[in-house]
Amino acid sequence: MKGARKNLFIKTYGCQMNVYDSERMADALQPLGYSLVSEPVDAEVIILNTCHIREKAAEKVYSDLGRLRQIKQDRALGGEETIIGVAGCVAQAEGEEMVRRAPVVDLVFGPQTYHQLPQMIESVVQGASGIVATEFPAEDKFTGLEKPSRSRLLARGPAAFVTVQEGCDKFCTFCVVPYTRGAEFSRPTVQIVSEIEELAGAGVREVTLLGQNVNAYSGEEVSGTRASLARLIDLVSEVPGIERIRYTTSHPRDMEPGLIEAHGTNPKLMPYLHLPAQSGSDDILRAMNRRHTCEEYLRCIENIRTACPQIALSSDFIVGFPGESDADFEATLDLIRTVTYSQAYSFKYSPRPGTPAAELVSQVPEEVKSERLRQLQQLLSAQQLDFNRSFVGKTLSLLLERPGRNPGQLVGRSPHLQAVHVDANGFNIGDIVDVSVKVASSNSITGEIETAAVPQALQQAPAHQERMTR
């Protein structure tokens, strides 16, 4: 099996951590001869890397499996075998039930076991079926992963995600993460820095440090002491070639003073922070078990803006949580008006099986949730438009990341995580350029390149790679 050329298709649902996990799965299978393809019909191994955050997540996965069953049957008629695996949080939650409901699935494995994927694939090749690996193993999965090849590293492009922390101990009443990702775990600093050094050597200029509760990071250093996220950011900023650092997602309870200070003192830490509030009502925050009040959240925002006045703030909001009154919803709108966000993500509450909030009897009617979401998004969209328009006529530093829709156009991210479109004018993906902003809308900005600050001729990532990890 090893050395034989095989095709691998991965469909990634949900969060940035799943994108990272999909990349590492592909890394793990490369020594067995598997390379990524853009269509499942061409693949000997098909993996659905699932997310349980969205509404009806499991049903969507089963729907996709129905389509894959036909592909597997068609390939079998042509004498081609196909292995289908389901990974991620839905796999963790469903376990044996998924194999029972969808016999087409050969293996089901959770987020903590994908380092065992090569062995699982080999077992299926040898005739095993219905493999389920949803335990939380004692060993560190990151230690057991293969190092990616240089070609795989180059495919990352100039900006990469690196998981530094997993799991959550907060147990918000609406959230499945503690049950699907487990308790908080922080990777050792030396392991993270080594991975980022490899990425930098392949042309990566920006890293985003990932965690379900990333600012709770407490990884072991070589000395045996525990490093905070602020300390980790300092270590990463010393890696040659790394020019930009971001982190997500944070919890207001863990925005410690050292991390806030880093936003004002570390020039490589980008002026952008995603800090979910979820609600502006203390009653709803208490029902959500968020462990912070509206006043504490606002005080945290004030401290962050004192340390870094130019920072762009993003957030998450849930409307229609059980028991949310009109007054509670108005309190959320008031919070948004007070803070003003550069962007935000907003959702209608939907019950997640197994979570405490799903058992509450005071569910908000669907039509009320829909109207509240419309009002909330209208306010957030207006704030995002105002924020983007405030840069018209100004200069932004831009890391060019990918081709645009038009010939000769490239798209990059500003320090504030805004998408900016420019005519390339001979510049390359991986260059950091100064851009004069000409036009701004809610979702993107158009500008003209002024100068190149860090020339970097990085080859364009294969088109299928972007589609595979979307």
Side-chain angles (χ1 to χ4, degrees), residues 399-420:
L399 172 63
L400 301 176
E401 295 185 21
R402 58 183 174 82
R405 292 181 179 177
N406 301 326
Q409 188 183 69
L410 292 178
V411 182
R413 295 283 177 177
S414 76
H416 309 293
L417 206 64
Q418 300 145 301
V420 183

Side-chain angles (χ1 to χ4, degrees), residues 309-357:
Q310 73 274 26
I311 198 163
L313 295 168
S314 173
S315 191
D316 291 342
F317 292 98
I318 296 173
V319 300
F321 188 82
E324 183 187 67
S325 66
D326 289 342
D328 293 325
F329 176 63
E330 284 299 325
T332 297
L333 296 181
D334 287 343
L335 175 72
I336 293 170
R337 294 185 188 104
T338 299
V339 176
T340 64
Y341 293 97
S342 65
Q343 59 174 294
Y345 303 94
S346 52
F347 314 92
K348 292 187 292 185
Y349 170 76
S350 59
R352 295 294 179 268
T355 60

